[in-house]
Amino acid sequence: MKIGIVCYPTFGGSGVVATELGMALAHKGHEVHFITYNQPVRLDFLSSGLHFHQVQIQEYPLFQYQPYELALSSKMVDIVTKFKLEILHVHYAIPHAYAAYMAKQMLKEQGIDVKVVTTLHGTDITLVGSHPSYKKAVEFSINQSDAVTTVSNSLKNQTLASFSIKKDIHVIYNFIELEKYPDILHEECQRISIATEDERILTHISNFRPVKRTKDVIEIFYEVQKKLPSKLLLVGEGPDLIAARTRAKELGVFDNVLFLGNSVELEKILCYSDLFLLPSETESFGLAALEAMAAKTPVISSNSGGLPEVNVQGVTGFLSDVGNVKEMAENALYILEDKERLRQFKKNAWEHSRKFSIDAILPDYEKIYEDLDAQRDK
Ligand code: GMT
């Protein structure tokens, strides 16, 4: 099929899922067109059938805020018309679902019936979308989509609780490409370049937004390193990065925290890791936790949102109430202190991650596209 994908082209989970989905669809023979303001960070053009179209904004001194939705919907119309796209799959409701609705209406005038699929990713519902400034337009554009998906049952329930939704919502979990996480042993990761033999390595990857509670990450690490020699790897950038550095200095652990910035080599970093920390305030799914598990890294997380659908209590890691740093640190130590137990948790995490293989999940998206296409033929 001919599919347009609209997403944020950044390191955030929704952009990553959209990009990996597009690449996998192209690999299976679909023609995929990314329509966004920059080339998505994880997009590589090694597989054929992949195209990228940049949305350009016309700056004008009158505008305090540039009308991105307008430029995006115009670009969608151009690309759907030029390449005869059948599906527009938009990731993250704001403002993509709204722009897609506008594009759909414009295309209707030309006799073109493009089907719009909206995938809700989390903060577009839980934090931003529910804000009174956006709520009406978000609700409207979800209801106007031809199909709607969420990345967990938790997010589906939150969507139904926060908005008046008239559509069926399909739950399609985040996924991973298993081949990216080869079955390598720690020694092959040159772990020694980061930590000594007796040190444990804890890792956190995020965009350092307040929702990630990165100060909790530092505090959990502080408690762990008091009992067990360890290092903390922090991957990513964002508004709370400075606060995380400050907290690490206040607690006297700064020298054992490595700030690695944004990276496209997460598999390599996770390969070093013994434990992944994700104490988020809310997390619709927690793609970072799944990526960690695929790299044989157990997870200490909060129990908010969709995290219990990914991290299995006592099997792949542990879950605690948001902010319960003490319990998270105790659970981290429980896993890390005993080498055999750590080995078992790593194995469990790796095995559980197999359930979220892209090969198992991609057909769910294809089925939605095919069903919509069949409706058009009637
Ligand atoms: O976590 C973020 O802040 C990024 C955000 C995004 O939209 O880019 O991630 C959301 O979507 C991911 C992919 O579906 C989910 O795995 C994340 O859990 C979700 N983040 C939150 O709900 C906070």
PDB file of all heavy atoms in Angstrom, residues 8 10-17 92 119-124 126-127 151 155 173-174 206-207 209 211-212 278 280 282-288 307, ligand 1:
ATOM      1  N   TYR A   8       6.686  13.303  15.059  1.00  0.00           N
ATOM      2  CA  TYR A   8       7.773  14.180  15.492  1.00  0.00           C
ATOM      3  C   TYR A   8       9.079  13.462  15.163  1.00  0.00           C
ATOM      4  O   TYR A   8       9.244  12.292  15.531  1.00  0.00           O
ATOM      5  CB  TYR A   8       7.661  14.479  16.987  1.00  0.00           C
ATOM      6  CG  TYR A   8       6.572  15.488  17.273  1.00  0.00           C
ATOM      7  CD1 TYR A   8       5.335  15.106  17.783  1.00  0.00           C
ATOM      8  CD2 TYR A   8       6.779  16.828  16.981  1.00  0.00           C
ATOM      9  CE1 TYR A   8       4.333  16.031  17.999  1.00  0.00           C
ATOM     10  CE2 TYR A   8       5.776  17.766  17.196  1.00  0.00           C
ATOM     11  CZ  TYR A   8       4.561  17.358  17.702  1.00  0.00           C
ATOM     12  OH  TYR A   8       3.574  18.284  17.903  1.00  0.00           O
ATOM     13  N   THR A  10      11.961  13.424  16.310  1.00  0.00           N
ATOM     14  CA  THR A  10      12.971  13.556  17.362  1.00  0.00           C
ATOM     15  C   THR A  10      13.272  12.204  18.026  1.00  0.00           C
ATOM     16  O   THR A  10      12.817  11.165  17.580  1.00  0.00           O
ATOM     17  CB  THR A  10      12.442  14.513  18.444  1.00  0.00           C
ATOM     18  OG1 THR A  10      11.216  13.949  18.915  1.00  0.00           O
ATOM     19  CG2 THR A  10      12.176  15.889  17.888  1.00  0.00           C
ATOM     20  N   PHE A  11      14.011  12.269  19.156  1.00  0.00           N
ATOM     21  CA  PHE A  11      14.370  11.055  19.886  1.00  0.00           C
ATOM     22  C   PHE A  11      13.209  10.500  20.713  1.00  0.00           C
ATOM     23  O   PHE A  11      13.332   9.441  21.293  1.00  0.00           O
ATOM     24  CB  PHE A  11      15.565  11.336  20.818  1.00  0.00           C
ATOM     25  CG  PHE A  11      16.866  11.448  20.079  1.00  0.00           C
ATOM     26  CD1 PHE A  11      17.357  12.686  19.681  1.00  0.00           C
ATOM     27  CD2 PHE A  11      17.602  10.314  19.769  1.00  0.00           C
ATOM     28  CE1 PHE A  11      18.554  12.789  19.000  1.00  0.00           C
ATOM     29  CE2 PHE A  11      18.802  10.406  19.083  1.00  0.00           C
ATOM     30  CZ  PHE A  11      19.285  11.651  18.696  1.00  0.00           C
ATOM     31  N   GLY A  12      12.117  11.237  20.825  1.00  0.00           N
ATOM     32  CA  GLY A  12      10.976  10.804  21.643  1.00  0.00           C
ATOM     33  C   GLY A  12      10.390   9.490  21.129  1.00  0.00           C
ATOM     34  O   GLY A  12      10.513   9.156  19.944  1.00  0.00           O
ATOM     35  N   GLY A  13       9.721   8.771  22.044  1.00  0.00           N
ATOM     36  CA  GLY A  13       9.209   7.442  21.725  1.00  0.00           C
ATOM     37  C   GLY A  13       8.243   7.414  20.551  1.00  0.00           C
ATOM     38  O   GLY A  13       8.287   6.482  19.734  1.00  0.00           O
ATOM     39  N   SER A  14       7.376   8.416  20.436  1.00  0.00           N
ATOM     40  CA  SER A  14       6.388   8.370  19.356  1.00  0.00           C
ATOM     41  C   SER A  14       7.072   8.463  17.996  1.00  0.00           C
ATOM     42  O   SER A  14       6.688   7.760  17.052  1.00  0.00           O
ATOM     43  CB  SER A  14       5.346   9.483  19.514  1.00  0.00           C
ATOM     44  OG  SER A  14       5.960  10.748  19.452  1.00  0.00           O
ATOM     45  N   GLY A  15       8.098   9.309  17.910  1.00  0.00           N
ATOM     46  CA  GLY A  15       8.851   9.447  16.653  1.00  0.00           C
ATOM     47  C   GLY A  15       9.614   8.176  16.332  1.00  0.00           C
ATOM     48  O   GLY A  15       9.701   7.761  15.173  1.00  0.00           O
ATOM     49  N   VAL A  16      10.148   7.544  17.378  1.00  0.00           N
ATOM     50  CA  VAL A  16      10.911   6.305  17.183  1.00  0.00           C
ATOM     51  C   VAL A  16       9.987   5.203  16.668  1.00  0.00           C
ATOM     52  O   VAL A  16      10.284   4.507  15.687  1.00  0.00           O
ATOM     53  CB  VAL A  16      11.600   5.886  18.501  1.00  0.00           C
ATOM     54  CG1 VAL A  16      12.156   4.478  18.403  1.00  0.00           C
ATOM     55  CG2 VAL A  16      12.705   6.884  18.852  1.00  0.00           C
ATOM     56  N   VAL A  17       8.823   5.055  17.321  1.00  0.00           N
ATOM     57  CA  VAL A  17       7.865   4.019  16.903  1.00  0.00           C
ATOM     58  C   VAL A  17       7.428   4.262  15.454  1.00  0.00           C
ATOM     59  O   VAL A  17       7.408   3.350  14.625  1.00  0.00           O
ATOM     60  CB  VAL A  17       6.646   3.989  17.858  1.00  0.00           C
ATOM     61  CG1 VAL A  17       5.507   3.156  17.280  1.00  0.00           C
ATOM     62  CG2 VAL A  17       7.059   3.447  19.222  1.00  0.00           C
ATOM     63  N   TYR A  92       0.908  10.775  17.402  1.00  0.00           N
ATOM     64  CA  TYR A  92       0.801  11.863  18.388  1.00  0.00           C
ATOM     65  C   TYR A  92      -0.295  12.813  17.898  1.00  0.00           C
ATOM     66  O   TYR A  92      -0.168  13.427  16.838  1.00  0.00           O
ATOM     67  CB  TYR A  92       2.133  12.605  18.571  1.00  0.00           C
ATOM     68  CG  TYR A  92       2.286  13.238  19.931  1.00  0.00           C
ATOM     69  CD1 TYR A  92       2.849  12.529  20.991  1.00  0.00           C
ATOM     70  CD2 TYR A  92       1.855  14.541  20.167  1.00  0.00           C
ATOM     71  CE1 TYR A  92       2.993  13.116  22.246  1.00  0.00           C
ATOM     72  CE2 TYR A  92       1.993  15.132  21.409  1.00  0.00           C
ATOM     73  CZ  TYR A  92       2.566  14.425  22.451  1.00  0.00           C
ATOM     74  OH  TYR A  92       2.708  15.003  23.684  1.00  0.00           O
ATOM     75  N   THR A 119      -2.511   7.359  15.821  1.00  0.00           N
ATOM     76  CA  THR A 119      -1.969   6.595  16.950  1.00  0.00           C
ATOM     77  C   THR A 119      -1.683   7.556  18.102  1.00  0.00           C
ATOM     78  O   THR A 119      -0.921   8.518  17.951  1.00  0.00           O
ATOM     79  CB  THR A 119      -0.689   5.835  16.542  1.00  0.00           C
ATOM     80  OG1 THR A 119      -1.071   4.787  15.635  1.00  0.00           O
ATOM     81  CG2 THR A 119      -0.011   5.190  17.750  1.00  0.00           C
ATOM     82  N   LEU A 120      -2.337   7.282  19.225  1.00  0.00           N
ATOM     83  CA  LEU A 120      -2.120   8.091  20.433  1.00  0.00           C
ATOM     84  C   LEU A 120      -0.952   7.475  21.189  1.00  0.00           C
ATOM     85  O   LEU A 120      -0.906   6.254  21.366  1.00  0.00           O
ATOM     86  CB  LEU A 120      -3.389   8.096  21.281  1.00  0.00           C
ATOM     87  CG  LEU A 120      -4.660   8.524  20.533  1.00  0.00           C
ATOM     88  CD1 LEU A 120      -5.899   8.323  21.402  1.00  0.00           C
ATOM     89  CD2 LEU A 120      -4.552   9.978  20.080  1.00  0.00           C
ATOM     90  N   HIS A 121      -0.039   8.328  21.650  1.00  0.00           N
ATOM     91  CA  HIS A 121       1.196   7.788  22.243  1.00  0.00           C
ATOM     92  C   HIS A 121       1.324   8.013  23.740  1.00  0.00           C
ATOM     93  O   HIS A 121       2.166   7.395  24.371  1.00  0.00           O
ATOM     94  CB  HIS A 121       2.411   8.358  21.527  1.00  0.00           C
ATOM     95  CG  HIS A 121       2.707   7.650  20.249  1.00  0.00           C
ATOM     96  ND1 HIS A 121       3.490   6.524  20.189  1.00  0.00           N
ATOM     97  CD2 HIS A 121       2.287   7.887  18.983  1.00  0.00           C
ATOM     98  CE1 HIS A 121       3.557   6.105  18.934  1.00  0.00           C
ATOM     99  NE2 HIS A 121       2.834   6.921  18.182  1.00  0.00           N
ATOM    100  N   GLY A 122       0.572   8.945  24.289  1.00  0.00           N
ATOM    101  CA  GLY A 122       0.712   9.109  25.745  1.00  0.00           C
ATOM    102  C   GLY A 122       0.463  10.529  26.199  1.00  0.00           C
ATOM    103  O   GLY A 122      -0.669  10.901  26.512  1.00  0.00           O
ATOM    104  N   THR A 123       1.518  11.345  26.167  1.00  0.00           N
ATOM    105  CA  THR A 123       1.346  12.708  26.697  1.00  0.00           C
ATOM    106  C   THR A 123       0.382  13.530  25.830  1.00  0.00           C
ATOM    107  O   THR A 123      -0.153  14.529  26.300  1.00  0.00           O
ATOM    108  CB  THR A 123       2.713  13.418  26.799  1.00  0.00           C
ATOM    109  OG1 THR A 123       3.403  13.265  25.557  1.00  0.00           O
ATOM    110  CG2 THR A 123       3.555  12.824  27.916  1.00  0.00           C
ATOM    111  N   ASP A 124       0.157  13.091  24.581  1.00  0.00           N
ATOM    112  CA  ASP A 124      -0.857  13.774  23.752  1.00  0.00           C
ATOM    113  C   ASP A 124      -2.255  13.605  24.363  1.00  0.00           C
ATOM    114  O   ASP A 124      -3.182  14.340  24.029  1.00  0.00           O
ATOM    115  CB  ASP A 124      -0.829  13.297  22.285  1.00  0.00           C
ATOM    116  CG  ASP A 124      -0.784  11.777  22.125  1.00  0.00           C
ATOM    117  OD1 ASP A 124      -0.634  11.066  23.128  1.00  0.00           O
ATOM    118  OD2 ASP A 124      -0.906  11.312  20.978  1.00  0.00           O
ATOM    119  N   THR A 126      -2.489  12.258  28.083  1.00  0.00           N
ATOM    120  CA  THR A 126      -2.408  12.363  29.547  1.00  0.00           C
ATOM    121  C   THR A 126      -1.989  13.742  30.027  1.00  0.00           C
ATOM    122  O   THR A 126      -2.460  14.201  31.066  1.00  0.00           O
ATOM    123  CB  THR A 126      -1.413  11.323  30.093  1.00  0.00           C
ATOM    124  OG1 THR A 126      -0.156  11.489  29.415  1.00  0.00           O
ATOM    125  CG2 THR A 126      -1.888   9.909  29.877  1.00  0.00           C
ATOM    126  N   LEU A 127      -1.106  14.413  29.326  1.00  0.00           N
ATOM    127  CA  LEU A 127      -0.624  15.712  29.817  1.00  0.00           C
ATOM    128  C   LEU A 127      -1.111  16.870  28.954  1.00  0.00           C
ATOM    129  O   LEU A 127      -1.828  17.749  29.422  1.00  0.00           O
ATOM    130  CB  LEU A 127       0.912  15.735  29.873  1.00  0.00           C
ATOM    131  CG  LEU A 127       1.584  14.785  30.865  1.00  0.00           C
ATOM    132  CD1 LEU A 127       3.089  14.933  30.811  1.00  0.00           C
ATOM    133  CD2 LEU A 127       1.100  15.041  32.291  1.00  0.00           C
ATOM    134  N   VAL A 151      -1.135   2.808  22.446  1.00  0.00           N
ATOM    135  CA  VAL A 151       0.010   1.899  22.597  1.00  0.00           C
ATOM    136  C   VAL A 151      -0.094   1.005  23.833  1.00  0.00           C
ATOM    137  O   VAL A 151       0.819   0.212  24.093  1.00  0.00           O
ATOM    138  CB  VAL A 151       1.350   2.679  22.589  1.00  0.00           C
ATOM    139  CG1 VAL A 151       1.557   3.379  21.261  1.00  0.00           C
ATOM    140  CG2 VAL A 151       1.433   3.668  23.743  1.00  0.00           C
ATOM    141  N   LEU A 155      -3.507   3.336  28.216  1.00  0.00           N
ATOM    142  CA  LEU A 155      -3.736   4.590  27.489  1.00  0.00           C
ATOM    143  C   LEU A 155      -5.132   4.602  26.860  1.00  0.00           C
ATOM    144  O   LEU A 155      -5.790   5.645  26.817  1.00  0.00           O
ATOM    145  CB  LEU A 155      -2.645   4.804  26.423  1.00  0.00           C
ATOM    146  CG  LEU A 155      -2.739   6.133  25.668  1.00  0.00           C
ATOM    147  CD1 LEU A 155      -2.651   7.342  26.598  1.00  0.00           C
ATOM    148  CD2 LEU A 155      -1.663   6.240  24.588  1.00  0.00           C
ATOM    149  N   TYR A 173       0.624  -2.543  20.874  1.00  0.00           N
ATOM    150  CA  TYR A 173       1.780  -2.232  21.725  1.00  0.00           C
ATOM    151  C   TYR A 173       2.967  -1.706  20.931  1.00  0.00           C
ATOM    152  O   TYR A 173       3.094  -1.967  19.730  1.00  0.00           O
ATOM    153  CB  TYR A 173       2.228  -3.504  22.466  1.00  0.00           C
ATOM    154  CG  TYR A 173       1.346  -3.902  23.628  1.00  0.00           C
ATOM    155  CD1 TYR A 173       0.982  -5.231  23.825  1.00  0.00           C
ATOM    156  CD2 TYR A 173       0.903  -2.955  24.555  1.00  0.00           C
ATOM    157  CE1 TYR A 173       0.190  -5.609  24.912  1.00  0.00           C
ATOM    158  CE2 TYR A 173       0.117  -3.335  25.644  1.00  0.00           C
ATOM    159  CZ  TYR A 173      -0.235  -4.653  25.813  1.00  0.00           C
ATOM    160  OH  TYR A 173      -1.007  -5.017  26.878  1.00  0.00           O
ATOM    161  N   ASN A 174       3.828  -0.984  21.602  1.00  0.00           N
ATOM    162  CA  ASN A 174       5.146  -0.644  21.027  1.00  0.00           C
ATOM    163  C   ASN A 174       5.869  -1.958  20.712  1.00  0.00           C
ATOM    164  O   ASN A 174       5.547  -3.007  21.286  1.00  0.00           O
ATOM    165  CB  ASN A 174       6.000   0.131  22.035  1.00  0.00           C
ATOM    166  CG  ASN A 174       5.559   1.577  22.242  1.00  0.00           C
ATOM    167  OD1 ASN A 174       6.117   2.271  23.071  1.00  0.00           O
ATOM    168  ND2 ASN A 174       4.571   2.037  21.514  1.00  0.00           N
ATOM    169  N   SER A 206      16.102   8.906  28.585  1.00  0.00           N
ATOM    170  CA  SER A 206      14.840   9.644  28.414  1.00  0.00           C
ATOM    171  C   SER A 206      15.117  11.003  27.786  1.00  0.00           C
ATOM    172  O   SER A 206      16.257  11.346  27.480  1.00  0.00           O
ATOM    173  CB  SER A 206      14.122   9.836  29.753  1.00  0.00           C
ATOM    174  OG  SER A 206      14.704  10.882  30.494  1.00  0.00           O
ATOM    175  N   ASN A 207      14.028  11.776  27.648  1.00  0.00           N
ATOM    176  CA  ASN A 207      14.170  13.147  27.160  1.00  0.00           C
ATOM    177  C   ASN A 207      14.221  14.141  28.323  1.00  0.00           C
ATOM    178  O   ASN A 207      14.024  15.330  28.131  1.00  0.00           O
ATOM    179  CB  ASN A 207      13.028  13.483  26.187  1.00  0.00           C
ATOM    180  CG  ASN A 207      11.682  13.095  26.771  1.00  0.00           C
ATOM    181  OD1 ASN A 207      11.536  13.003  27.998  1.00  0.00           O
ATOM    182  ND2 ASN A 207      10.704  12.873  25.923  1.00  0.00           N
ATOM    183  N   ARG A 209      12.324  15.138  30.620  1.00  0.00           N
ATOM    184  CA  ARG A 209      11.196  16.029  30.922  1.00  0.00           C
ATOM    185  C   ARG A 209      10.758  15.745  32.349  1.00  0.00           C
ATOM    186  O   ARG A 209      11.035  14.654  32.893  1.00  0.00           O
ATOM    187  CB  ARG A 209      10.035  15.752  29.966  1.00  0.00           C
ATOM    188  CG  ARG A 209      10.416  15.988  28.526  1.00  0.00           C
ATOM    189  CD  ARG A 209       9.279  16.610  27.732  1.00  0.00           C
ATOM    190  NE  ARG A 209       9.726  16.849  26.376  1.00  0.00           N
ATOM    191  CZ  ARG A 209       9.439  16.059  25.342  1.00  0.00           C
ATOM    192  NH1 ARG A 209       8.677  15.009  25.511  1.00  0.00           N
ATOM    193  NH2 ARG A 209       9.885  16.341  24.141  1.00  0.00           N
ATOM    194  N   VAL A 211       8.141  14.695  33.573  1.00  0.00           N
ATOM    195  CA  VAL A 211       7.368  13.456  33.693  1.00  0.00           C
ATOM    196  C   VAL A 211       8.275  12.240  33.954  1.00  0.00           C
ATOM    197  O   VAL A 211       7.839  11.230  34.509  1.00  0.00           O
ATOM    198  CB  VAL A 211       6.478  13.274  32.433  1.00  0.00           C
ATOM    199  CG1 VAL A 211       7.316  12.928  31.215  1.00  0.00           C
ATOM    200  CG2 VAL A 211       5.394  12.250  32.632  1.00  0.00           C
ATOM    201  N   LYS A 212       9.555  12.354  33.624  1.00  0.00           N
ATOM    202  CA  LYS A 212      10.485  11.215  33.795  1.00  0.00           C
ATOM    203  C   LYS A 212      11.045  11.115  35.207  1.00  0.00           C
ATOM    204  O   LYS A 212      11.693  10.121  35.545  1.00  0.00           O
ATOM    205  CB  LYS A 212      11.649  11.315  32.792  1.00  0.00           C
ATOM    206  CG  LYS A 212      11.222  11.338  31.348  1.00  0.00           C
ATOM    207  CD  LYS A 212      10.603  10.022  30.911  1.00  0.00           C
ATOM    208  CE  LYS A 212      10.041  10.120  29.512  1.00  0.00           C
ATOM    209  NZ  LYS A 212       9.387   8.894  29.070  1.00  0.00           N
ATOM    210  N   LEU A 278      13.357   3.513  35.380  1.00  0.00           N
ATOM    211  CA  LEU A 278      12.322   4.334  34.727  1.00  0.00           C
ATOM    212  C   LEU A 278      11.225   4.669  35.753  1.00  0.00           C
ATOM    213  O   LEU A 278      10.132   4.093  35.736  1.00  0.00           O
ATOM    214  CB  LEU A 278      11.738   3.576  33.517  1.00  0.00           C
ATOM    215  CG  LEU A 278      10.928   4.419  32.520  1.00  0.00           C
ATOM    216  CD1 LEU A 278      11.783   5.485  31.852  1.00  0.00           C
ATOM    217  CD2 LEU A 278      10.298   3.540  31.441  1.00  0.00           C
ATOM    218  N   SER A 280       9.063   6.989  36.069  1.00  0.00           N
ATOM    219  CA  SER A 280       8.209   8.065  35.532  1.00  0.00           C
ATOM    220  C   SER A 280       6.929   8.319  36.315  1.00  0.00           C
ATOM    221  O   SER A 280       6.313   7.402  36.860  1.00  0.00           O
ATOM    222  CB  SER A 280       7.808   7.727  34.098  1.00  0.00           C
ATOM    223  OG  SER A 280       8.911   7.430  33.319  1.00  0.00           O
ATOM    224  N   THR A 282       4.233   9.262  34.756  1.00  0.00           N
ATOM    225  CA  THR A 282       3.294   8.498  33.930  1.00  0.00           C
ATOM    226  C   THR A 282       4.048   8.023  32.684  1.00  0.00           C
ATOM    227  O   THR A 282       4.992   8.669  32.242  1.00  0.00           O
ATOM    228  CB  THR A 282       2.050   9.336  33.551  1.00  0.00           C
ATOM    229  OG1 THR A 282       1.268   8.592  32.615  1.00  0.00           O
ATOM    230  CG2 THR A 282       2.412  10.652  32.901  1.00  0.00           C
ATOM    231  N   GLU A 283       3.589   6.904  32.156  1.00  0.00           N
ATOM    232  CA  GLU A 283       4.271   6.334  30.984  1.00  0.00           C
ATOM    233  C   GLU A 283       3.213   5.495  30.278  1.00  0.00           C
ATOM    234  O   GLU A 283       2.737   4.504  30.835  1.00  0.00           O
ATOM    235  CB  GLU A 283       5.433   5.462  31.484  1.00  0.00           C
ATOM    236  CG  GLU A 283       6.524   5.180  30.515  1.00  0.00           C
ATOM    237  CD  GLU A 283       7.360   6.399  30.128  1.00  0.00           C
ATOM    238  OE1 GLU A 283       8.022   6.984  31.005  1.00  0.00           O
ATOM    239  OE2 GLU A 283       7.332   6.753  28.939  1.00  0.00           O
ATOM    240  N   SER A 284       2.838   5.876  29.073  1.00  0.00           N
ATOM    241  CA  SER A 284       1.744   5.144  28.421  1.00  0.00           C
ATOM    242  C   SER A 284       2.146   3.702  28.128  1.00  0.00           C
ATOM    243  O   SER A 284       1.327   2.793  28.175  1.00  0.00           O
ATOM    244  CB  SER A 284       1.356   5.830  27.122  1.00  0.00           C
ATOM    245  OG  SER A 284       2.419   5.729  26.211  1.00  0.00           O
ATOM    246  N   PHE A 285       3.408   3.511  27.825  1.00  0.00           N
ATOM    247  CA  PHE A 285       3.928   2.166  27.556  1.00  0.00           C
ATOM    248  C   PHE A 285       5.321   2.023  28.182  1.00  0.00           C
ATOM    249  O   PHE A 285       5.531   1.195  29.053  1.00  0.00           O
ATOM    250  CB  PHE A 285       4.001   1.908  26.037  1.00  0.00           C
ATOM    251  CG  PHE A 285       4.511   0.548  25.689  1.00  0.00           C
ATOM    252  CD1 PHE A 285       3.649  -0.542  25.572  1.00  0.00           C
ATOM    253  CD2 PHE A 285       5.872   0.322  25.490  1.00  0.00           C
ATOM    254  CE1 PHE A 285       4.129  -1.819  25.274  1.00  0.00           C
ATOM    255  CE2 PHE A 285       6.360  -0.945  25.182  1.00  0.00           C
ATOM    256  CZ  PHE A 285       5.477  -2.013  25.075  1.00  0.00           C
ATOM    257  N   GLY A 286       6.257   2.854  27.711  1.00  0.00           N
ATOM    258  CA  GLY A 286       7.633   2.768  28.227  1.00  0.00           C
ATOM    259  C   GLY A 286       8.524   2.021  27.248  1.00  0.00           C
ATOM    260  O   GLY A 286       9.120   1.003  27.585  1.00  0.00           O
ATOM    261  N   LEU A 287       8.616   2.574  26.029  1.00  0.00           N
ATOM    262  CA  LEU A 287       9.438   1.930  24.997  1.00  0.00           C
ATOM    263  C   LEU A 287      10.874   1.732  25.472  1.00  0.00           C
ATOM    264  O   LEU A 287      11.501   0.707  25.182  1.00  0.00           O
ATOM    265  CB  LEU A 287       9.402   2.776  23.712  1.00  0.00           C
ATOM    266  CG  LEU A 287      10.244   2.271  22.545  1.00  0.00           C
ATOM    267  CD1 LEU A 287       9.778   0.898  22.076  1.00  0.00           C
ATOM    268  CD2 LEU A 287      10.216   3.263  21.381  1.00  0.00           C
ATOM    269  N   ALA A 288      11.387   2.701  26.219  1.00  0.00           N
ATOM    270  CA  ALA A 288      12.783   2.607  26.682  1.00  0.00           C
ATOM    271  C   ALA A 288      12.965   1.357  27.551  1.00  0.00           C
ATOM    272  O   ALA A 288      14.001   0.687  27.485  1.00  0.00           O
ATOM    273  CB  ALA A 288      13.169   3.863  27.442  1.00  0.00           C
ATOM    274  N   LEU A 307       3.056   0.832  32.231  1.00  0.00           N
ATOM    275  CA  LEU A 307       4.281   0.102  32.619  1.00  0.00           C
ATOM    276  C   LEU A 307       4.004  -1.326  33.106  1.00  0.00           C
ATOM    277  O   LEU A 307       4.766  -2.237  32.775  1.00  0.00           O
ATOM    278  CB  LEU A 307       5.081   0.909  33.649  1.00  0.00           C
ATOM    279  CG  LEU A 307       5.916   2.050  33.019  1.00  0.00           C
ATOM    280  CD1 LEU A 307       6.436   3.023  34.068  1.00  0.00           C
ATOM    281  CD2 LEU A 307       7.070   1.483  32.200  1.00  0.00           C
TER     282      LEU A 307
HETATM  283  O1  GMT B   1       8.246   9.659  26.769  1.00  0.00           O
HETATM  284  C1  GMT B   1       8.217  10.723  26.173  1.00  0.00           C
HETATM  285  O2  GMT B   1       8.192  11.796  26.724  1.00  0.00           O
HETATM  286  C2  GMT B   1       8.177  10.701  24.673  1.00  0.00           C
HETATM  287  C3  GMT B   1       6.833  10.266  24.232  1.00  0.00           C
HETATM  288  C4  GMT B   1       6.606  10.627  22.809  1.00  0.00           C
HETATM  289  O3  GMT B   1       5.452  10.776  22.491  1.00  0.00           O
HETATM  290  O4  GMT B   1       7.489  10.790  22.000  1.00  0.00           O
HETATM  291  O5  GMT B   1       6.721   8.854  24.470  1.00  0.00           O
HETATM  292  C5  GMT B   1       5.429   8.317  24.564  1.00  0.00           C
HETATM  293  O6  GMT B   1       5.294   7.433  23.475  1.00  0.00           O
HETATM  294  C6  GMT B   1       6.099   6.249  23.520  1.00  0.00           C
HETATM  295  C7  GMT B   1       5.881   5.462  22.248  1.00  0.00           C
HETATM  296  O7  GMT B   1       4.562   5.070  22.082  1.00  0.00           O
HETATM  297  C8  GMT B   1       5.748   5.447  24.793  1.00  0.00           C
HETATM  298  O8  GMT B   1       6.522   4.272  24.841  1.00  0.00           O
HETATM  299  C9  GMT B   1       6.043   6.334  26.006  1.00  0.00           C
HETATM  300  O9  GMT B   1       5.660   5.627  27.171  1.00  0.00           O
HETATM  301  C10 GMT B   1       5.234   7.611  25.917  1.00  0.00           C
HETATM  302  N1  GMT B   1       5.639   8.529  26.992  1.00  0.00           N
HETATM  303  C11 GMT B   1       4.804   8.859  27.998  1.00  0.00           C
HETATM  304  O10 GMT B   1       3.666   8.430  28.103  1.00  0.00           O
HETATM  305  C12 GMT B   1       5.371   9.777  29.018  1.00  0.00           C
END
